[in-house]
Amino acid sequence: MVVCFVHKLVLSGLGTVSGSPQSNQIYCTGELLRQVQQAQLFTDDKHFVDMPLRAKPEEVLGQFQQLVNATPGGGALSRQQLAAFVEAHFFPPGQELQAWEPPDWTSRYGLPPALRLWPAQRHLPGSPRALSLASPPPPLRGRGDSVCDFPSRDSFWIIEGLLLSGMAATAEGMIQNFLFLVEKFGHIPNGGRVYYERRSQPPFLTLMMESYLKHTNSTSFLRRNIHLLEAEYRFWQQQRAVNISTGGQQYQLNRYRVPESGEQGVLQACAHQPPQQSLWAELKTAAESGWDFSSRWFLPGPRSTQATLRDTKASEVVPVDLNAILCRVERLLATFYRELGEAQKADSFQAAHEQRVAAIRAVLWDDQAGSWFDYDLLQQRKSTAFYPSNVAPLWAECGVDAAVVEKALGYLQGSSALSYANGLPASLARTGQQWDLPNAWAPLQHMVIEGLAKSSLPQAQELAFTLAQRWVRMNLAVYERHHAMFEKVPSRSGGEAPLRCVAMGPVRLSPLQVGFGWTNGVVLQLLDRYGSRLTSTGALVTPMLPWIGTCLALALL
C-alpha cells in the first residue's frame, strides 16, 4: 500500500468515543498525570497520555494511590518510582494499532519507497477504556509517522490528494469519521484523544464534502449527512461567536476560544513554572487554531525575540482565515440546501453568508493597506503584521471583486515575504515558534496560490504560478536530499532547519515526518493545476523524475 500524499495512521473505532471517567482521570487530569508530567519522564509531552493501559483504569488508579499513600513526604513519588510505575502499567504509544490497507489502493503506479504510505492502522482488539483514543468507526488516515491524531484541517488537503488519485472510497471513509465525531460531540475535537474533547479545530468538514462531491456527485451522501455539516457550523456560531461594534454598526464574527478548565493536559511540561488556568486556556485556544504556536496570538502584537508563549491571548484575536472558512461554509451550505430542494434553509444560509461578507469588509478589511487583518479585541483595532492567512478571503471567494484582488495583489507585492525563495513564511517575526519565521507551511502556500489563481487578473495569476513553482521546486529538492517530505520547510535556503516549539522554546525538528499528508496533497494539487508549465531548475518537470512523475500520474487520473 503506497501513495504519494497520505501518512501513517488509519483508525477505526471500538464502539466508544469518550473515555471513561477513570481514563479521563489518567489522561486528562489527576495526580498521576500531574506527577508524571512534572517529572518530565519523556521528551515529548504527549508521550505519556498516548500510552495504552495494561489494566483497567480503576485498577491502575488504585495501585497508584496505594503507592502514593505509602510514600513519605506527602506522596510525591521519585522520578525512578514514577518511571517504574509507568513501565509496569502502560504499553508504549502505538500499541493500540494494527495494519490495514484501503480497499481502493492500487500499487500500479510504482511509487518510490520514500513516498510510500506507512502501514495504515486500526485499533487492536481490547477495551477502549484502556486507551486515550476517542475513535470513530470507519478507518481514517492521519497526517504523519509520529502524529497519532486525525485533525480535520490536515485531512482537507489529504482528501484532495486522495481524490486526485482515484481513492474516493477512502476519502469518503475519512469524511464519515468526522461526521461521526460531530454526531457524538457536536463538533470535531482537536484530535483523536480524550484530552482533546474540549477544543475543536478549523471547520473544514463542509469543504471536504464539496471536494468529494466534485469528484463523485454523490447527492445521496450529501442528503444523508447535511444535518451534521450544519451541526458543526452551529457549534461555531453558538460557542465561538463574538460581536464587534465599528462605524456605528454591530457585526458578528468568530474566533477560537477554549473555556478554562481544571485539566492539566499535555502542556504541563511546557512551562518553567505553573501558569494560571487562563494561560492554559489561551494555549489550548491557540492549539485549536492549528497555529500552535505563533506571534499571531501574542498581544498586543509580535515583539521579535522578546515574545513568549506567556503573551498568548488567542481568544482575543478574530482571525481572518477562520472567518474566511466560515464564509465559504455558509455559501456552500446555501448551495447544498438549494440543490436538495430546501429553499428556506438555502435562503437562511445565503443571508448568513452576506452578513459575514459585510462583517469581514467592515471589521477586517483595510482599504488603504489592500489587505484583511486579524482583529485585536483587547485594543479594538486591526493587527497589521504579515501572515499569509491575511489574504485567505481570496481563497474563500468571500466578498472579492476585481478591485479587491488588485489591492490584495499590491499588498503581497509590497511585502518582504515574497523575497523568501522557498515559500511564504508563516510570519515575518522570528520568535522561535514553529508558526513564525523561518517556517513555510503547505496549506498557507496553497491558500495564497489558489486565491490568486482564481482571479481574472493576469498579474495575480502569474504570481500564483511563481509561488507554485517555488514550492514544488523546494519540495523536490527536499525529496532528492532526504527521500522524504516535511510537514514544513525553511522559507529561505542556506541550511536553516525548520523550528518546532517544545517547552516554550525552539528545538530542531524531530525525525522526519515521512510523506507528510498536507504537503503531498498540496503538491498534487499544484501539479494538477500547473503540471505542463512547472520546471525543475531550468527543465520541464517530466515523469522521468520519479517524485514528480509519480505525482503527475496520480494527479492526472
Side-chain angles (χ1 to χ4, degrees):
M1 175 188 57
V2 290
V3 93
C4 186
F5 44 86
V6 192
H7 272 284
K8 181 177 180 182
L9 228 24
V10 177
L11 303 177
S12 67
L14 294 171
T16 297
V17 175
S18 298
S20 67
Q22 293 84 5
S23 64
N24 285 346
Q25 290 175 31
I26 293 174
Y27 295 117
C28 298
T29 188
E31 184 64 13
L32 174 58
L33 175 65
R34 187 189 68 81
Q35 289 204 27
V36 169
Q37 296 292 64
Q38 286 193 342
Q40 298 187 17
L41 296 183
F42 309 102
T43 56
D44 187 343
D45 301 320
K46 282 180 86 283
H47 187 103
F48 172 67
V49 292
D50 290 349
M51 298 177 73
L53 294 167
R54 296 180 184 269
K56 294 179 180 179
E58 54 267 28
E59 293 177 8
V60 174
L61 286 171
Q63 292 176 27
F64 176 73
Q65 191 58 49
Q66 291 178 16
L67 187 57
V68 167
N69 294 339
T71 301
L77 276 61
S78 68
R79 199 171 190 275
Q80 291 74 18
Q81 285 178 300
L82 286 167
F85 184 87
V86 170
E87 183 177 2
H89 293 85
F90 293 82
F91 292 106
Q95 299 297 305
E96 69 274 39
L97 305 172
Q98 66 182 11
W100 173 83
E101 182 170 307
D104 54 355
W105 163 246
T106 175
S107 60
R108 69 180 183 272
Y109 300 110
L111 284 125
L115 290 179
R116 292 181 182 176
L117 184 68
W118 282 76
Q121 302 189 4
R122 288 180 178 271
H123 296 275
L124 289 173
S127 170
R129 299 170 65 238
L131 310 173
S132 64
L133 285 167
S135 316
L140 184 143
R141 295 187 177 280
R143 53 185 174 172
D145 63 330
S146 69
V147 185
C148 299
D149 307 307
F150 35 93
S152 66
R153 180 188 59 161
D154 297 50
S155 297
F156 171 68
W157 281 276
I158 291 172
I159 284 172
E160 290 281 3
L162 283 167
L163 293 168
L164 283 171
S165 297
M167 296 180 67
T170 300
E172 181 181 326
M174 293 182 68
I175 296 170
Q176 285 177 335
N177 277 289
F178 294 119
L179 292 167
F180 178 86
L181 293 173
V182 172
E183 189 170 31
K184 286 292 182 181
F185 294 110
H187 67 280
I188 298 176
N190 195 222
R193 302 283 179 175
V194 294
Y195 49 77
Y196 286 144
E197 290 180 15
R198 291 178 180 268
R199 61 183 188 255
S200 188
Q201 52 186 303
F204 277 96
L205 182 57
T206 301
L207 279 63
M208 294 181 206
M209 180 67 79
E210 178 195 25
S211 298
Y212 177 76
L213 293 175
K214 285 180 178 177
H215 285 262
T216 66
N217 197 30
S218 180
T219 306
S220 60
F221 184 62
L222 173 63
R223 188 180 299 277
R224 290 195 306 271
N225 296 296
I226 193 168
H227 67 289
L228 295 174
L229 304 182
E230 183 175 345
E232 185 194 36
Y233 171 77
R234 295 299 177 199
F235 165 81
W236 287 91
Q237 292 304 96
Q238 294 166 8
Q239 303 293 328
R240 302 291 192 266
V242 60
N243 293 322
I244 302 168
S245 296
T246 183
Q249 298 287 327
Q250 189 171 76
Y251 300 93
Q252 185 180 84
L253 289 168
N254 292 79
R255 58 177 168 173
Y256 299 105
R257 187 172 186 270
V258 178
E260 293 183 23
S261 72
E263 295 180 3
Q264 294 150 325
V266 298
L267 294 170
Q268 182 71 48
C270 282
H272 299 303
Q273 57 185 356
Q276 299 176 347
Q277 286 299 323
S278 59
L279 178 55
W280 284 133
E282 292 296 347
L283 294 175
K284 292 174 184 178
T285 297
E288 181 174 71
S289 76
W291 287 57
D292 45 339
F293 296 99
S294 171
S295 63
R296 190 179 179 192
W297 315 124
F298 297 166
L299 296 184
R303 290 168 292 171
S304 185
T305 56
Q306 287 76 33
T308 73
L309 287 187
R310 296 184 181 279
D311 296 292
T312 298
K313 294 182 177 64
S315 68
E316 300 296 343
V317 176
V318 178
V320 171
D321 47 351
L322 172 60
N323 285 281
I325 293 166
L326 286 167
C327 188
R328 185 165 167 179
V329 167
E330 288 158 343
R331 177 170 52 82
L332 286 172
L333 287 174
T335 300
F336 291 162
Y337 274 119
R338 205 167 304 282
E339 290 175 353
L340 295 176
E342 298 192 39
Q344 187 173 354
K345 286 219 167 191
D347 291 344
S348 174
F349 279 104
Q350 182 61 34
H353 170 72
E354 292 171 3
Q355 289 169 7
R356 189 177 300 273
V357 168
I360 288 175
R361 178 80 183 187
V363 179
L364 306 181
W365 173 253
D366 187 318
D367 197 63
Q368 183 175 357
S371 182
W372 300 265
F373 295 108
D374 297 338
Y375 187 80
D376 178 346
L377 291 168
L378 292 178
Q379 303 292 323
Q380 296 185 13
R381 66 186 183 193
K382 298 177 182 70
S383 301
T384 57
F386 173 84
Y387 304 102
S389 55
N390 288 352
V391 295
L394 294 179
W395 164 81
E397 299 178 280
C398 184
V400 173
D401 56 27
V404 166
V405 173
E406 188 171 3
K407 289 190 175 184
L409 176 63
Y411 168 74
L412 288 172
Q413 291 173 328
S415 170
S416 63
L418 289 184
S419 68
Y420 290 84
N422 297 340
L424 295 169
S427 80
L428 298 177
R430 189 178 292 274
T431 65
Q433 303 304 328
Q434 66 170 350
W435 286 86
D436 278 319
L437 197 69
N439 292 346
W441 296 81
L444 300 183
Q445 315 304 312
H446 187 254
M447 281 185 164
V448 174
I449 291 167
E450 284 295 301
L452 292 169
K454 290 176 181 179
S455 166
S456 59
L457 197 65
Q459 300 96 312
Q461 294 177 0
E462 192 57 33
L463 178 57
F465 172 74
T466 299
L467 294 173
Q469 177 77 87
R470 289 181 184 179
W471 188 249
V472 170
R473 283 181 176 174
M474 174 58 186
N475 281 277
L476 175 57
V478 167
Y479 169 75
E480 290 179 334
R481 179 175 180 180
H482 299 283
H483 299 287
M485 301 286 277
F486 285 100
E487 61 170 346
K488 54 185 174 284
V489 298
S491 54
R492 180 167 285 165
S493 302
E496 185 174 25
L499 294 178
R500 178 185 177 190
C501 171
V502 173
M504 295 217 175
V507 299
R508 291 302 168 186
L509 191 66
S510 55
L512 291 176
Q513 302 288 321
V514 178
F516 203 86
W518 65 16
T519 304
N520 292 326
V522 167
V523 165
L524 278 169
Q525 291 179 81
L526 296 180
L527 289 167
D528 184 46
R529 177 181 283 277
Y530 296 115
S532 62
R533 295 181 62 194
L534 293 172
T535 62
S536 172
T537 59
L540 280 174
V541 171
T542 73
M544 296 299 290
L545 293 168
W547 176 81
I548 297 292
T550 299
C551 289
L552 274 172
L554 291 171
L556 299 177
L557 284 176

